Amino acid sequence: MTEQSSALDNLLTESRTFPPSEEFAAKANAGAELYSEADADRETFWAKQAERLHWDTKWTQVLDWSNAPFAKWFVSGKLNVAYNCVDRHVESGHGDQVAIHWVGEPGDTRDITYAELKREVSKAANALLSLGVGAHDRVAIQLQMVPEAIVAMLACARIGALHSVVFGGFSPTALRSRVDDAQAKVVITSDGQYRRGKAAPMKANVDQALDGAESVEKVIVVRRTGDDVPWTEGRDLWWHELVDGQSEDHKPEAFDSEHPLYILYTSGTTGKPKGILHTSGGYLTQAAYTHHYVFDHKPGEDVYWCTADIGWVTGHSYIVYGPLANRVTQVVYEGTPNTPHEGRHWEIVQKYKVSIYYTAPTLIRTFMKWGKDIPAKYDLSSLRVLGSVGEPINPEAWVWYRENVGANATPVVDTWWQTETGAIMISPLPGVTEAKPGSAQRPLPGISAKVVDDKADEVGKGGGGYLVLDKPWPSMLRGIWGDDERYRETYWSRFADKGFYFAGDGAKYDNDGDIWLLGRVDDVMNVSGHRISTTEVESALVSHPTVAEAAVVGASDPTTGQGIVAFVILRGDAVDGGEEAVQELRNHVAKEIGPIAKPRQIMVVPELPKTRSGKIMRRLLRDVAENREVGDVTTLADSSVMDLISSGLQSGK
Ligand code: WTA
């Protein structure tokens, strides 16, 4: 952890603090007593939070942890997740409230009220039922940010089917492995998507992915760009032809609190993505609870915008489930932040009077690069809470965000969580916490986290180590799809004696006991807030015929947090390691995984640094990638390797 410690020493020289204004604190949803209330009795506290939802049958027990690490929350309770996110708001007289202000990249817009959302979700639920999709079936969704994406997710939830949303930027190979792993019966996609002003095909990629996929019976295609698409008679159906004519009546069935809600694949330390499984009652409780308090959301008053894509967990918990359960009015934007110009987000904030804005550090740093003149051109006075998620936020970016987007006045909440945790775990509360730029600070009320050393002992103030979650929480993952053993092994084996969940992140306490997150301690990279495993990129590289061996590291990058740097040894007969060969390899990775996994840099080297047991020493490669002096090489099997690598690079080979 030496590199991380030095990064942290820099961070800890940061001593600015930003308390909430008295005015904000006076009206805030959360006061300081929320912590003491939760500490007094955690289960009673969570039971109270679960009352935010409508339960058809009340639970008999808050938590059953007897079969740890497989939790059951709100045991024997029954509810319908989609009813909670949609119907009940219509029934309580808010049918005319806008749920979604949708903004298409080319500039087309659509406002969808809760009444309309209810009709659309009901029709889509009936459509899925008409295709024979039922409770426990899996539906894969690869869609860009169009309203149908949200409607499709809620329609699955409504009938008890599991969705598995696959990010639109993933390659056909990546989609296929997810469809196969979940044995999806139906795939929902679109003809194409607008990206940076151009229409790019989606359906054609999906067809490529599904060639020979035996589980898939139907493919539903949303029409967006209007471009021609390849068509498989008998399998493919247009969304508008299938859904529009369905009945608007659908009675939501109440499912068990532990009924599976969705699978979302995320990168682990091996090449094979993990299907993270989330269930219903506990997940929705914590998603709604955190959205209410962390963003200080006030239904009917606030306009909320989370800029994530539904392909990631942030889109699941903070566009779909948490916000809609809380009767949000939210912006959903289809496109990229600089199309057609770099002020696009601020133009949207101004137009819809967005009051809560939640984004990722990588985008904040991009905004910084574009310059403060751009947000300054717009009226951003509606904003009152800003949020950040996905990677550690550096204090400069935090302060820039507050000054230039938040008028030097709004609270900024740095929220730490993971696909696995399902909802926010560590974060300031905007009306309570004296914020420190760069620190996520404290576990939320009801949540328990610790920083521990190798032996699972908690470190003291000023100490660093591993972040663990030492008590179960309602929205925790319930396992890895089809692989209970991998679930135990990945998260629960490291600190098995104490029964701690190992998050995979390094962290440190400052002298006040606040938590600072330091990034991953495993072989997972974080590029623009996206998790990509080094092994996944390595296997993509070695699947190319010219590559003999590959090692991949995440090197720090001023904009994307980390950038992917690959070291490859070419096969003996593939002598040409020139620019063209390197470009070809970058494209190969994009084809195998997706453009997000394209290495920033590929270095052709004669050897890789390995220990005597054959383990690649990524630490040394990271030194090279970050232009640092190479660290301790004494554990290398052959200590001259690093000289060979450095001299090869200097001579430009
Ligand atoms: C990182 C995204 C520091 C962390 C919700 C975690 C963060 C991984 C923060 C999960 C933050 C997320 N500060 N690091 N506020 N938020 N991370 O599953 O390394 O895509 O383990 O979930 O992102 O990424 P995931």
Side-chain angles (χ1 to χ4, degrees), residues 389-392 414-419 505 517 520 526 531:
V389 60
E391 47 175 320
D414 174 10
T415 63
W416 180 90
W417 59 295
Q418 308 178 297
T419 306
D505 278 29
L517 275 313
R520 305 286 309 187
N526 191 326
R531 272 164 73 169

